[in-house]
Amino acid sequence: MNYKDLRKEYILHQLDPDLMVESPIDQFRNWFDEAISAHANEANAMVLSTVSKEGKPSSRYLLLKEISERGFVFFTNYNSRKALEMDSNPYVCLVFYWRELERQVRIEGRVEKISIDESEEYFNSRPMGSRISAIASPQSQSISNRKVLEDKIKFLNEHPELVVMPEHWGGYLVVPECIEFWQGRESRMHDRICYKRNFEGHWNKEILAP
């Protein structure tokens, strides 16, 4: 296979800055709803990029669980690699890509933990299997084999009274400072509209070259 010959033209949509709403959060909601309507595969899937205290970046896919005027919420293990990196450097980046609409959204911001009550409310709404997995898995840590996890899961299934939110699990809020909307266009002349938060907390909108 010649990888240099792999390419695709983007022809579905275009961006008009004058038609984009003033709030990038509302604009994101609009695009997210359109992604759902277009049956995008896991529309809430996003890449989270973090940077270690040594300056080494790492990325992984997570699922967005809440959008509010405050920002974007996801949940994870507080002892995981991503969590430890966010402890040392709270600046992160999120990326959504909706292939069905030829669209991408990139979000840069600062992360902070949400309240225990908010985390517990979401934890208790999850399927039992997901709750058990959150307790059983020492995320990002080395294990001797998968049976270690399977034994923990079996034990917790037999003792559902022990399935409560662990202290090492909870939610994070990404407070955005920059949100960029990308629309694929022909011949790689893509549309890019970026919202940046100013010192007064208001959003400024600008057009970026592709």
Side-chain angles (χ1 to χ4, degrees):
M1 180 182 295
N2 188 342
Y3 295 101
K4 295 178 182 177
D5 291 336
L6 294 174
R7 58 175 54 86
K8 180 184 184 301
E9 284 288 1
Y10 301 108
I11 58 174
L12 292 180
H13 302 282
Q14 64 184 40
L15 282 187
D16 184 342
D18 294 331
L19 296 180
M20 298 182 74
V21 299
E22 291 303 311
S23 164
I25 301 294
D26 290 340
Q27 183 64 46
F28 181 89
R29 286 194 182 103
N30 292 342
W31 271 25
F32 190 85
D33 290 345
E34 289 181 36
I36 295 293
S37 297
H39 304 290
N41 184 33
E42 289 201 286
N44 64 329
M46 61 187 185
V47 175
L48 167 69
S49 296
T50 56
V51 179
S52 70
K53 59 184 178 182
E54 294 82 19
K56 297 179 179 179
S58 60
S59 301
R60 74 288 289 162
Y61 274 98
L62 297 177
L63 296 178
L64 175 71
K65 290 301 178 180
E66 183 184 331
I67 311 167
S68 72
E69 291 306 312
R70 297 187 301 161
F72 304 81
V73 174
F74 63 90
F75 295 84
T76 192
N77 186 311
Y78 287 152
N79 295 325
S80 64
R81 175 180 175 178
K82 70 179 87 62
L84 296 178
E85 291 181 346
M86 290 187 292
D87 283 345
S88 63
N89 183 346
Y91 289 96
V92 301
C93 183
L94 305 176
V95 178
F96 294 82
Y97 178 61
W98 299 305
R99 179 179 59 84
E100 294 80 359
L101 296 171
E102 300 173 349
R103 286 175 176 170
Q104 174 181 274
V105 179
R106 187 173 58 83
I107 300 161
E108 297 177 8
R110 184 182 179 94
V111 72
E112 58 188 48
K113 289 180 179 178
I114 65 174
S115 71
I116 293 175
D117 289 343
E118 290 174 292
S119 291
E120 196 164 39
E121 180 181 1
Y122 173 69
F123 183 86
N124 292 332
S125 74
R126 304 179 84 200
M128 178 61 79
S130 297
R131 282 181 268 171
I132 288 174
S133 294
I135 299 169
S137 175
Q139 193 176 110
S140 301
Q141 297 180 30
S142 176
I143 57 175
S144 56
N145 54 61
R146 187 174 177 85
K147 189 175 183 302
V148 173
L149 302 177
E150 293 171 347
D151 288 346
K152 290 181 181 178
I153 290 171
K154 181 175 183 295
F155 175 80
L156 289 168
N157 273 312
E158 294 170 350
H159 299 275
E161 72 279 3
L162 299 179
V163 181
V164 296
M165 188 184 79
E167 293 182 358
H168 63 260
W169 190 94
Y172 285 97
L173 169 72
V174 178
V175 181
E177 297 179 358
C178 171
I179 303 180
E180 179 189 321
F181 296 85
W182 179 98
Q183 177 68 61
R185 296 291 301 276
E186 289 184 85
S187 302
R188 300 300 184 261
M189 289 298 290
H190 311 303
D191 290 329
R192 296 173 63 190
I193 308 296
C194 184
Y195 294 74
K196 292 184 179 179
R197 196 192 297 269
N198 61 29
F199 292 112
E200 298 175 345
H202 302 301
W203 292 100
N204 296 323
K205 184 169 55 177
E206 60 185 15
I207 302 172
L208 303 180

